[in-house]
């Protein structure tokens, strides 16, 4: 993962770097730390179980972190899930979750 | 409002070295590290990941924290609980909090609960974050310092409240600065007012205040006046205090010719910030108070371990008073007084003294615990105990031997101002079926000179009720001759210090003779205390002294021993 590949992925790298006071290594380290969050994995089970309150708390926490890292496509998906859960809407959460995991995988697998 | 040092009477000399401390509370490590990285250049940053940890950290660092950045949603309970606890705790209430939230609706709620601002997630540009934090800190300092009314009218120095607020802020901004808390006291200042008038007294205070201010500024600190004749300084730690001493001494010497008025300076150097601000000044005050008021020169004392031990000892004694009264640890003893008009001295009375046998410390010196009780407003209980015990004893002797032997008891300065004093004494007398004349009241001379009018009024009412009033420690204070003539008293007690060195035709003896002349003029007898040998006794007798007490005749004795003494001298009382 590099600054360039993150940019290709669609991350708002300039914004993320600004929050890291322009320190590229620090930014990449924070992205790795943010993406390794165990809650990406537990979110799927919680959604499947239908416990929307717990799912909301989990995804809301991820939103705070990923938003700060300016990983735009991933952040947009998280926001979408968050808002559906906040409104307690019945949507196909499994599809949205798969999309989220796929986007995360893309970043993690970037050279 | 900007925190303007020059406006606030201080110049931070090494501003770039000074850093404020901020606590960041967030359960997300990424968020903590991002903010820490943004703020680390300008601030010392502390971290907490749960609400519980946050509260514990805030309590621990309350004197140091300039701001808390608080995430609202954390797994163990939300940030609101932290806000609520801070608002209800007086010590934490003034620390400003900025909440971190991605939830628009939470912003208003958190402002209602006492947050000063909010930062939304994702975070703004770091410069915006830093600016908002800076502004929140400045506003909070402004509010807290402006809240405390600023300036002492007479001297232009800070008021005590303002000074403490300011010094607290100083500590937050200069956490690594070694500091000195200093107390400057003008001993016997009331004399200046009395001898030269209040206007001159005010001028002296202003000059000393100016000196204190200049010395504080020169040492990178601030000063205030805490009461009539006492100043506090909070300055950078000094290797020695010669400069301070010289500056203030010279000023006082230029103003005054009276040798008795001296500066007493107490210093507590706080190198490790081990105690809080109030405690630092308590200790400086303690160092100051240990210096004699009667020193012939300006004196300075630095708080040390010995004083710390004494502080603990004093606190223990003060805490034990009630138990001691309940458990009869206080005992009264009697110092016999002899009338020396006749060839053979005749027993005529006794002064009642108090002893404290502490279960842990053994006999505590009365010249230690009595001033301690006086300073801490606890002497009243002890005095009343002594009066009751003394009256009971006079009654017992009357019943046993058929004679009334009057005794004298001490009345402390604070008792004089107690509106209940006369009623209480009357009750003590009637409870024991005595006459007021059986209880002589010894009031120290310095109490008279402190507040002449009240004293004269109270003494008059006591005498009108039939009590005999003796002026104790005469010569130690500064009664003016004019005051003496208007003074309602029944006897003068010579201060021990006068007797100590008397010899035929020496200066001390002339002084004693002079005082005896005054007493004759006033028409009151003179009691000499501390008479230790035959030579002193004979000199005093020759000079016309009326009554004597001291080791030459007898040391203080227990009530039963004094009873035997009465029994052997019954002829003196019939």
């Amino acid at each position: 993962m590099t600054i360039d590949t993150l940019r290709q992925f669609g991350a708002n790298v300039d914004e993320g770097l600004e929050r890291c006071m322009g320190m590229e290594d620090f930014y990449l380290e924070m992205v790795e730390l943010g993406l390794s969050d165990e809650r990406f994995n537990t979110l799927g089970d919680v959604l499947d179980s239908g416990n929307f309150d717990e799912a909301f708390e989990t995804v809301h926490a991820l939103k705070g972190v990923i938003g700060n890292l300016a990983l735009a496509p991933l952040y947009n998906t998280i926001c979408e899930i968050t808002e559906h859960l906040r409104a307690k809407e019945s949507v196909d959460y499994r599809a949205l979750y798969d999309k989220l995991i796929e986007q995360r995988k893309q970043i993690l697998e970037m050279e | 409002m900007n925190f303007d040092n020059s406006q606030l009477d201080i110049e931070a000399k090494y501003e770039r070295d000074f850093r404020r401390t901020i606590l960041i509370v967030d359960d997300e490590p990424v968020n903590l590290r991002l903010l820490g990285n943004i703020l680390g250049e300008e601030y010392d940053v502390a971290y907490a990941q749960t609400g519980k940890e946050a509260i514990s950290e805030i309590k621990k660092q309350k004197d140091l924290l300039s701001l808390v950045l608080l995430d609202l949603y954390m797994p163990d309970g939300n940030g609101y609980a932290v806000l609520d606890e801070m608002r209800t705790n007086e010590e934490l209430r003034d620390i400003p909090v900025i909440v971190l939230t991605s939830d628009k609706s939470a912003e208003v709620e958190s402002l209602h609960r006492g947050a000063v601002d909010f930062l939304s997630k994702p975070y703004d540009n770091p410069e915006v974050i830093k600016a908002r934090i800076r502004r929140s800190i400045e506003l909070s300092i402004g509010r807290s310092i402006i809240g405390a009314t600023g300036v002492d009218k007479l001297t232009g120095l800070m008021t005590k409240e303002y000074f403490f607020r300011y010094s607290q802020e100083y500590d937050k901004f200069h956490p690594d600065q070694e500091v000195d808390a200093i107390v400057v006291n003008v001993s016997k200042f009331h004399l200046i007012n009395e001898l030269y008038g209040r206007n001159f007294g005010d001028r002296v205070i202003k000059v000393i205040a100016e000196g204190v201010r200049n010395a504080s500024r020169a040492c990178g600190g601030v000063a205030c006046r805490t009461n009539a004749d006492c100043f506090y300084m909070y300055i950078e730690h000094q290797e020695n205090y010669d400069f301070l001493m010289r500056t203030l001494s010279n000023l006082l010497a230029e103003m005054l010719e009276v040798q008795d008025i001296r500066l007493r300076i107490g210093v507590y150097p706080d190198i490790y910030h081990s105690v809080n601000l109030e405690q630092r000044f308590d200790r400086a005050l303690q160092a100051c108070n240990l210096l004699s008021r009667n020193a012939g020169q300006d004196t300075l004392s630095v708080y040390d371990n010995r004083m710390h031990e004494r502080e603990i000892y004093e606190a223990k004694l003060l805490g034990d008073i009630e138990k001691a009264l309940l458990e009869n640890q206080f005992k009264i003893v009697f110092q016999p007084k002899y009338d020396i008009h006749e060839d053979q001295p005749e027993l005529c009375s006794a002064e009642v003294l108090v002893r404290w046998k502490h279960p842990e410390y053994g006999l505590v010196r009365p010249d230690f615990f009595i001033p301690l009780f006086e300073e801490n407003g606890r002497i009243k209980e002890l005095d009343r105990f002594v009066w009751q015990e003394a009256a009971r004893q006079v009654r017992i002797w009357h019943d046993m031997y058929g004679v009334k032997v009057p005794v004298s008891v001490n009345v402390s300065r604070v008792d004089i101002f107690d509106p209940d004093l006369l009623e209480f004494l009357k009750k003590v007398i009637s409870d024991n079926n005595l006459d007021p004349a059986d209880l002589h009241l010894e009031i120290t001379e310095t109490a008279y000179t402190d507040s002449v009018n009240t004293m004269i009024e109270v003494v008059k009412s006591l005498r009108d009720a039939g009590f005999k009033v003796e002026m104790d420690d005469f010569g130690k204070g500064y009664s003016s001759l004019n005051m003496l003539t208007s003074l309602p008293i029944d006897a003068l007690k010579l201060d021990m210090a006068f007797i100590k060195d008397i010899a035929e035709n020496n200066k001390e003896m002339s002084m004693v003779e002079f005082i005896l002349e005054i007493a004759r003029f006033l028409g009151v007898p003179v009691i000499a205390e501390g008479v230790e040998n035959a030579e002193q006794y004979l000199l005093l007798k020759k000079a016309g002294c009326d009554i004597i007490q001291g080791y030459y005749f007898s040391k203080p004795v227990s009530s039963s021993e004094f009873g035997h003494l009465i029994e052997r001298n019954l002829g003196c009382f019939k």
Side-chain angles (χ1 to χ4, degrees), chain A residues 12-30:
Chain A
N12 196 342
V13 172
D14 296 336
E15 187 187 313
L17 268 177
E18 191 178 44
R19 281 192 197 107
C20 293
M21 309 298 282
M23 298 155 74
E24 293 188 0
D25 288 349
F26 181 65
Y27 179 47
L28 292 173
E29 190 190 338
M30 289 302 105

Side-chain angles (χ1 to χ4, degrees), chain B residues 304-477:
Chain B
D304 60 20
N305 270 344
R306 197 171 39 83
M307 293 183 199
H308 183 57
E309 279 163 22
R310 181 178 164 133
E311 183 181 23
I312 290 167
Y313 178 56
E314 287 182 348
K316 178 91 172 73
L317 290 184
L318 284 169
D320 287 348
I321 299 175
E322 268 141 46
K323 196 163 167 242
L325 284 167
L326 279 175
E327 293 179 357
N328 285 319
Q329 291 171 16
F330 293 109
K331 294 266 181 283
I332 56 171
V333 293
F334 298 83
Q335 171 74 65
K337 289 181 182 175
Y338 289 85
D339 185 323
I340 56 168
H341 286 118
E342 304 299 324
D343 287 346
Q344 288 300 314
E346 293 181 343
L347 181 69
C348 63
S349 171
E351 179 182 358
V352 181
L353 303 168
V354 64
R355 298 285 180 263
W356 185 2
K357 194 170 182 195
H358 191 280
E360 197 176 323
Y361 303 125
L363 271 177
V364 185
R365 293 172 59 105
D367 57 354
F368 183 80
F369 74 81
I370 290 175
L372 177 71
F373 287 9
E374 278 171 341
E375 277 165 28
N376 292 278
R378 305 301 300 268
I379 197 71
K380 182 177 148 183
E381 296 146 272
L382 184 63
D383 281 346
R384 292 191 165 200
F385 167 81
V386 171
W387 303 340
Q388 284 168 317
E389 282 296 292
R392 200 172 60 83
Q393 204 53 61
V394 172
R395 178 76 248 161
I396 292 173
W397 291 323
H398 181 259
D399 293 345
M400 286 174 70
Y401 307 117
V403 292
K404 271 209 226 155
V405 182
V407 296
S408 60
V409 293
N410 286 289
V411 176
S412 303
R413 199 175 168 274
V414 288
D415 297 322
I416 301 293
F417 296 96
D418 187 345
D420 188 29
L421 173 68
L422 183 57
E423 286 313 306
F424 187 86
L425 282 167
K426 278 183 180 170
K427 187 166 183 304
V428 169
I429 292 299
S430 68
D431 283 351
N432 293 284
N433 200 16
L434 299 176
D435 294 321
D438 297 330
L439 210 54
H440 296 189
L441 308 174
E442 295 193 10
I443 302 175
T444 183
E445 186 202 356
T446 47
Y448 281 86
T449 44
D450 273 354
S451 38
V452 183
N453 292 338
T454 316
M455 187 61 60
I456 289 178
E457 207 175 290
V458 174
V459 170
K460 267 189 178 142
S461 71
L462 291 169
R463 292 181 80 232
D464 287 347
F467 290 98
K468 301 281 181 204
V469 175
E470 299 174 1
M471 188 194 257
D472 200 6
D473 300 326
F474 183 75
K476 206 175 184 178

Side-chain angles (χ1 to χ4, degrees), chain B residues 60-78:
Chain B
K60 222 177 348 178
Q61 302 208 46
K62 64 181 162 50
D63 294 329
L64 213 62
L65 280 180
S66 287
L67 183 97
V68 176
L69 285 173
L70 177 67
D71 181 29
L72 277 186
Y73 295 106
M74 288 174 290
D76 75 320
N78 61 37

Side-chain angles (χ1 to χ4, degrees), chain B residues 122-168:
Chain B
Y123 299 149
D124 280 321
N125 172 308
E127 290 310 316
V128 174
I129 294 179
K130 286 202 265 190
R132 285 174 86 159
I133 286 174
R134 216 174 292 132
R135 180 157 181 78
S136 289
I137 294 175
E138 283 169 1
L139 280 171
S140 136
I141 295 167
R143 195 182 53 210
S144 102
I145 291 188
I146 288 167
T149 45
V151 178
D152 173 42
K153 277 197 190 109
L154 179 65
T155 60
L157 291 177
M158 294 176 173
T159 58
K160 188 178 175 185
E161 191 192 4
Y162 187 84
F163 172 83
F164 270 93
R165 287 277 188 178
Y166 186 86
S167 301
Q168 256 155 12

Side-chain angles (χ1 to χ4, degrees), chain A residues 65 68, chain B residues 24-32 35 47-50 69-75 100 121 123:
Chain A
V65 177
N68 275 336
Chain B
I24 308 178
V25 188
D26 197 317
D27 59 314
E28 301 297 341
V30 170
N31 293 348
L32 282 181
L35 278 178
Y47 300 98
Q49 284 191 280
T50 66
L69 285 173
L70 177 67
D71 181 29
L72 277 186
Y73 295 106
M74 288 174 290
L100 307 165
K121 290 180 189 172
Y123 299 149

